[in-house]
Amino acid sequence: MQADQSEFAGIARWALAWESRAKLIAAIVFIFGVISLQTTPIALLAYGISLVTTMAIGISLITLLKRYLLIAPFVLLMTIPLVIGGGFPIDPDRVEFASLIILKAITSMTVITIILETQTVEQFMTSLADLKVPPVMITVLLLSYRYVYLFLDDIQKMQLALKTRFFNGGISIKKLKVYGQLTGCLLIKSLDRSEKVFQAMQARGFNGILRFEKSRNLDKFDFLKSTLVLISMILLLFIEQTYMK
């Protein structure tokens, strides 16, 4: 399936031409390699490589920062207790370990951003299907992606309705009851919508397996780009094992 060029304005052609399966495998290898790193300097170097690649592809820093904000609460929830958990004065080893976790998280998110910003959702799902990922998982992922926007739209409509009724938020017994009622309404509405979607899909003969076009064959440039990613990670692991221990 060909990507709409207007959707990828500013993205480098070599990144768009990179076959989805080869790109996904390279990304997974790099992420798992980053996770296995044990030293902060090498993790910082890995992040630098991913950041330079992102800039070379043409992905904006604003897009990257938005992705970092998605994981920021979870990363901070893990690292802040780790840093201050040993009491004061703060142990430098705890700070270094927390820094390592942060670097791994943002490097992984940078790589994921590259995957998401250089192909369509259909191309990504097609690559998963060709890599023999169970059809149920692909179906759940695609439907979740499709309906999460409707869920967010419902939340925005509820927020607008609350504003028109001069509800200004805050924490109190009365307002907690309002939050509970809103949560219940969202849950009921989501269940009702899921039932209608299931009935509609069943009426159209859906058997739980989505059909995708077959991916194109890999060429030498796909192998070259994936091999460069693999070599860079091997070099990082080699440098860490040889010079950082």
Side-chain angles (χ1 to χ4, degrees):
M1 185 177 296
Q2 298 296 322
D4 182 4
Q5 293 301 319
S6 63
E7 183 182 353
F8 300 105
I11 302 298
R13 291 175 62 96
W14 64 267
L16 296 176
W18 194 353
E19 203 278 330
S20 298
R21 289 171 298 174
K23 190 190 307 182
L24 180 59
I25 291 174
I28 292 174
V29 169
F30 194 86
I31 289 174
F32 274 95
V34 168
I35 293 174
S36 66
L37 295 176
Q38 300 296 322
T39 57
T40 304
I42 301 300
L44 182 60
L45 181 58
Y47 174 65
I49 292 173
S50 65
L51 186 61
V52 170
T53 303
T54 304
M55 297 298 101
I57 288 174
I59 299 173
S60 68
L61 284 174
I62 299 299
T63 300
L64 204 55
L65 290 174
K66 288 179 180 178
R67 298 300 171 95
Y68 291 161
L69 288 176
L70 292 176
I71 63 172
F74 305 100
V75 174
L76 293 176
L77 189 64
M78 289 188 296
T79 55
I80 291 178
L82 178 64
V83 171
I84 65 176
F88 295 93
I90 295 176
D91 187 352
D93 291 336
R94 286 178 172 267
V95 175
E96 183 176 0
F97 186 58
S99 302
L100 183 61
I101 293 176
I102 293 173
L103 284 171
K104 289 181 179 182
I106 62 175
T107 303
S108 299
M109 179 52 72
T110 303
V111 176
I112 292 172
T113 301
I114 293 174
I115 291 294
L116 296 178
E117 295 296 322
T118 58
Q119 61 185 339
T120 63
V121 175
E122 290 78 8
Q123 288 174 322
F124 177 65
M125 295 301 171
T126 299
S127 67
L128 293 179
D130 288 338
L131 291 173
K132 307 304 179 184
V133 174
V136 173
M137 292 182 62
I138 299 176
T139 301
V140 170
L141 284 173
L142 189 56
L143 291 178
S144 298
Y145 174 81
R146 169 64 181 85
Y147 287 100
V148 70
Y149 293 103
L150 294 179
F151 180 73
L152 294 175
D153 185 57
D154 288 338
I155 293 178
Q156 290 177 349
K157 289 179 180 178
M158 285 187 171
Q159 288 177 333
L160 181 60
L162 289 173
K163 288 181 180 179
T164 59
R165 291 165 174 80
F166 303 103
F167 183 81
N168 56 6
I171 301 296
S172 67
I173 298 299
K174 185 177 180 180
K175 291 178 180 179
L176 287 176
K177 289 181 180 179
V178 175
Y179 296 143
Q181 291 172 350
L182 292 176
T183 303
C185 288
L186 277 175
L187 179 59
I188 293 173
K189 193 170 185 178
S190 298
L191 290 173
D192 182 60
R193 175 175 287 157
S194 65
E195 183 64 26
K196 290 180 179 178
V197 170
F198 172 74
Q199 292 175 356
M201 295 175 70
Q202 195 175 43
R204 291 165 174 78
F206 181 67
N207 62 355
I209 300 177
L210 296 173
R211 305 296 178 183
F212 297 97
E213 295 180 4
K214 189 171 181 59
S215 299
R216 68 170 176 82
N217 294 329
L218 299 174
D219 58 29
K220 60 182 180 181
F221 296 107
D222 297 319
F223 283 109
L224 176 61
K225 285 177 275 195
S226 298
T227 301
L228 287 175
V229 174
L230 178 61
I231 291 174
S232 66
M233 181 46 62
I234 291 176
L235 285 175
L236 288 175
L237 292 172
F238 175 77
I239 293 172
E240 183 176 64
Q241 294 296 324
T242 305
Y243 299 103
M244 304 301 295
K245 294 298 183 181

